[in-house]
Amino acid sequence: MLDSNHLILYLFAAVNFSNNWERASATVNTTYKSFSSVNINAEVGIHVGFSGVNVTLRGVPEIQQNETINYNEEFLWKSGSSYAAAYRDGLERGLPDPILYIAEKFTPTSPCGVFSQYKVSSHYASATMWVALVAWMLANILLWLKVPLYGAYMILVTGSFMIFSLISFGTTRKTKLCAIWFDDMKLDSALGPSFWLTLATALLTLIIGITIMALSIWAPQILSKVFVLTDSSDDEDTAGEDFYNVHYLENDKPTDVPMRTLENVV
């Protein structure tokens, strides 16, 4: 139980800060810099997370045009960050054309109109994942306190909020991303490993919660063996027993004093 607890805690931390909830990649032949007709062979990638989008560009091979081509640029839409400012900064730094071309699709002023959908969906998906984490911690506390039924309820709450997070982020799929073309190569995005890993974990927690709840109601004896629960009735029976010092009872019994001796004393 402890190992699975740590595993799920690590999962919460990993998926919340991961940028692999949605991704796309392709190897293309494209222009490298503005005002240049020189093309390069490179692998371009999109990695979407709760905080923003990472755009990668890696040359195939990495060294082309007497330059190492290996970029990983982050454009954030989370609270406290300005996506438009990050995009303008990229323009000023003269980032390669493929990165700016992809990043422009997510800007607030882009005709694609996906910025608001991704920002709002990611915000609520992240919030519900944090609620699921709190519910998981409460579930472990309740199980440690030997109240498995209520612990099972909180495990079910954990799985439910993880499902809510998946639904929230999944709404981004309703808004189709503008087509991203590199000559005759189209870059299509798909749900990433973080999404599917969260789905598998959510289903696992729901199964665990339902199992513990069912055992608590219909087979408490089995559950007591699993969680090493103590039966309160045993404590009550033990509390009602009297313990005697047998040696004291045998050797220190009161002796009978003759009545005549007492009369003489008086």
Side-chain angles (χ1 to χ4, degrees):
M1 184 67 184
L2 186 60
D3 291 339
S4 63
N5 177 36
H6 289 164
L7 180 63
I8 293 179
L9 286 176
Y10 295 148
L11 172 86
F12 277 115
V15 299
N16 262 291
F17 300 103
S18 168
N19 59 357
N20 279 317
W21 280 78
E22 182 178 350
R23 65 180 184 175
S25 64
T27 302
V28 300
N29 182 275
T30 181
T31 58
Y32 180 48
K33 295 285 188 178
S34 299
F35 310 109
S36 173
S37 59
V38 177
N39 283 17
I40 61 169
N41 291 317
E43 181 181 358
V44 294
I46 303 173
H47 306 271
V48 180
F50 291 157
S51 300
V53 58
N54 281 61
V55 184
T56 60
L57 178 70
R58 184 175 62 85
V60 183
E62 284 193 14
I63 299 177
Q64 297 181 52
Q65 307 298 320
N66 297 321
E67 184 178 347
T68 299
I69 303 174
N70 193 344
Y71 292 85
N72 185 351
E73 298 294 326
E74 186 178 47
F75 302 88
L76 302 178
W77 52 57
K78 67 179 182 179
S79 299
S81 301
S82 173
Y83 189 97
Y87 179 71
R88 286 195 302 270
D89 180 67
L91 289 172
E92 294 173 358
R93 289 191 291 127
L95 291 177
D97 280 357
I99 292 178
L100 295 174
Y101 169 61
I102 295 174
E104 189 274 334
K105 300 292 184 181
F106 293 90
T107 57
T109 56
S110 171
C112 294
V114 298
F115 175 80
S116 297
Q117 180 68 55
Y118 272 92
K119 182 176 181 178
V120 173
S121 297
S122 298
H123 173 76
Y124 285 106
S126 178
T128 49
M129 280 296 291
W130 285 117
V131 174
L133 174 60
V134 174
W136 178 254
M137 295 175 67
L138 289 175
N140 280 272
I141 292 173
L142 291 170
L143 292 176
W144 179 72
L145 293 174
K146 307 297 175 57
V147 279
L149 181 58
Y150 293 101
Y153 292 155
M154 293 310 300
I155 292 176
L156 292 176
V157 170
T158 301
S160 299
F161 272 95
M162 293 178 76
I163 295 295
F164 294 154
S165 179
L166 294 170
I167 294 173
S168 178
F169 188 83
T171 57
T172 59
R173 306 296 297 174
K174 292 184 177 181
T175 304
K176 291 185 178 181
L177 186 63
C178 290
I180 300 176
W181 288 94
F182 291 93
D183 291 335
D184 58 345
M185 177 68 68
K186 184 180 179 181
L187 197 61
D188 291 319
S189 65
L191 295 172
S194 293
F195 182 93
W196 299 113
L197 183 59
T198 304
L199 177 60
T201 307
L203 296 176
L204 177 62
T205 55
L206 290 175
I207 292 172
I208 293 174
I210 292 172
T211 302
I212 295 176
M213 185 173 62
L215 290 175
S216 180
I217 295 174
W218 290 296
Q221 298 84 1
I222 298 177
L223 193 65
S224 64
K225 293 180 181 178
V226 174
F227 289 96
V228 196
L229 300 177
T230 57
D231 192 352
S232 60
S233 62
D234 293 341
D235 297 337
E236 294 175 359
D237 294 340
T238 305
E241 295 178 357
D242 294 327
F243 296 92
Y244 300 97
N245 189 326
V246 178
H247 178 75
Y248 172 79
L249 293 176
E250 291 179 351
N251 298 328
D252 299 315
K253 293 181 180 179
T255 57
D256 295 333
V257 180
M259 290 299 296
R260 293 180 179 179
T261 304
L262 292 176
E263 290 174 358
N264 292 334
V265 174
V266 176

